[in-house]
Amino acid sequence: MKALTWQGKRDVRVEDVPDPRIEEPTDAVIRVTSTAICGSDLHLYEVLGPYLKPGDVLGHEPMGIVEEVGPGVTRLKPGDRVVVPFNIACGSCWMCDRQLYAQCETTQVTAQGKGAALFGYTSLYGSVPGGQAEYLRVPHAGFGPIKVPATGPDERWLYLSDILPTAWQAVKYADTPPGGTLAVFGLGPVGQFCARIGRHLGAGRVIGLDLVPERLAMARRHGIEVLDVSELDDVPSTLIDLVDGRGPDAVIDAVGMEAHGAPLGKLAQTAAGLLPDALARTMTDKIGVDRLVVLKAALKAVRRGGTVSVSGVYGGEVDPLPLMEMFDRGVQLRMGQCHVRRWVDEIMPLLADDADPLGVADLRTHRVPLARAPQAYEMFQKKEDGCVKVVLEP
């Protein structure tokens, strides 16, 4: 089959790889009909290369049609249309019983000290072949895949794989009081959904911050108040002044480790990337740093006693935080990989509604064949051609 493989920094290629097959009784194999490029895939394109090897298949936002199931899978059958969550969970361990699916104890990558295995996401998370491919083997298929109706375009359901529940969890963790103010840093795909979900769940005011014109315009189309951070000298002070001199009740960081405007963090990430992989992995694990400009701005902008919810991916180990200020201001901080299946039952009725209350039909800006995935990665990484979200078609 054809699949997108990692070959090196900023080097991904579509190659022939072996077809997946049933390896365990609880496996399924799906024919992928749509698979998206996630913002966190760009971390593999740039920062997390030391944890990949040439030929690794990328991608963790797939959906498709079930082709085959193992003898231990009874709730799926060939022909079912499914969305595959990015994290792999058994559904029955101690963590899964508590709906902490991203920490599944059956698939935890304990050798790396990490949580549940992920599709297409480095040796840190199990080196499981990903979904930017024509076919995908799905472990623990008795629990993970989400059955969706046979009708409607893929993009009505596709975002259940990651970014929609990730945004839903971020908003839930932010815990904005009814009628309160939510600020969302970063209006990429997750940030777009955070802003829309925030309004849907009762925030009286939602402010989105970014510097990419197309992202700001998209958020504005959905009734979000926007700020272009490139025009602001002091983002936290601006937000505090805008919201009663106190700041927003809740702030979401939907950016993560590769924020703009953090030259020292970028330098450290670049330096680590120039080292041999074994040494780079050791440095990242022990003394890794992130670009914290957005997280620090979020912590300084939120009102006293407010909550900062982090959905952007971070990977540092010695990142300095303004702990004295956080403690004095009583800031609550919540974060973590999304527990996808935890939120599906709440989200599904909104996707089934033809009125499209979350605007899922207005997110994807580019749909391209899998063969053009390398060009799509470059375009997405450089934010060219108005690119906000790319969906690949195998």
Side-chain angles (χ1 to χ4, degrees), residues 318-384:
V318 293
D319 293 324
L321 291 175
L323 288 173
M324 182 174 71
E325 185 173 0
M326 292 165 64
F327 183 86
D328 174 70
R329 300 178 68 238
V331 172
Q332 301 175 80
L333 184 62
R334 298 198 69 183
M335 65 184 75
Q337 296 279 15
C338 179
H339 310 294
V340 174
R341 288 295 305 273
R342 177 175 181 172
W343 311 109
V344 167
D345 289 347
E346 295 180 29
I347 299 170
M348 281 290 281
L350 303 175
L351 299 182
D353 185 345
D354 288 336
D356 192 13
L358 299 182
V360 295
D362 183 26
L363 185 75
R364 186 265 298 162
T365 53
H366 295 76
R367 185 176 182 91
V368 303
L370 179 65
R372 288 183 52 209
Q375 295 91 335
Y377 263 75
E378 182 178 9
M379 174 180 63
F380 189 29
Q381 199 256 351
K382 293 181 177 178
K383 302 179 179 67
E384 296 174 338

Side-chain angles (χ1 to χ4, degrees), residues 107-295:
T107 73
Q108 271 182 21
V109 188
T110 54
Q112 299 288 345
K114 296 296 183 285
L118 310 179
F119 287 102
Y121 216 79
T122 79
S123 59
L124 290 172
Y125 289 98
S127 294
V128 182
Q132 289 169 1
E134 294 179 313
Y135 293 89
L136 175 69
R137 180 179 77 91
V138 182
H140 297 285
F143 175 72
I146 303 159
K147 288 199 284 188
V148 298
T151 57
D154 276 6
E155 286 146 46
R156 173 176 284 198
W157 315 106
L158 175 63
Y159 308 129
L160 279 172
S161 58
D162 179 356
I163 60 172
L164 190 51
T166 291
W168 193 275
Q169 176 172 295
V171 174
K172 287 284 192 174
Y173 280 8
D175 196 26
T176 312
T181 299
L182 171 68
V184 179
F185 279 78
L187 293 172
V190 171
Q192 295 285 342
F193 278 146
C194 285
R196 301 174 200 181
I197 292 165
R199 291 192 68 207
H200 176 78
L201 293 180
R205 186 180 185 187
V206 180
I207 304 170
L209 299 95
D210 207 295
L211 46 70
V212 179
E214 292 82 4
R215 294 179 173 187
L216 294 165
M218 178 178 283
R220 198 179 287 115
R221 284 200 299 274
H222 290 268
I224 307 304
E225 183 179 348
V226 300
L227 292 174
D228 184 341
V229 297
S230 67
E231 298 177 352
L232 304 178
D233 293 328
D234 188 329
V235 173
S237 293
T238 299
L239 279 172
I240 290 168
D241 290 344
L242 275 175
V243 188
D244 306 320
R246 297 188 187 93
D249 300 289
V251 178
I252 293 173
D253 172 0
V255 180
M257 67 168 73
E258 293 186 77
H260 292 275
L264 293 179
K266 181 176 182 180
L267 179 62
Q269 290 173 350
T270 302
L274 296 174
L275 297 169
D277 284 354
L279 184 55
R281 287 193 295 268
T282 300
M283 285 192 65
T284 301
D285 187 52
K286 301 300 183 184
I287 58 171
V289 296
D290 295 298
R291 307 183 204 176
L292 294 180
V293 62
V294 168
L295 180 56

Side-chain angles (χ1 to χ4, degrees), residues 26-30 73 84 88 119 136-142 144-145:
T26 52
D27 286 350
V29 172
I30 72 163
V73 179
V84 181
I88 303 169
F119 287 102
L136 175 69
R137 180 179 77 91
V138 182
H140 297 285

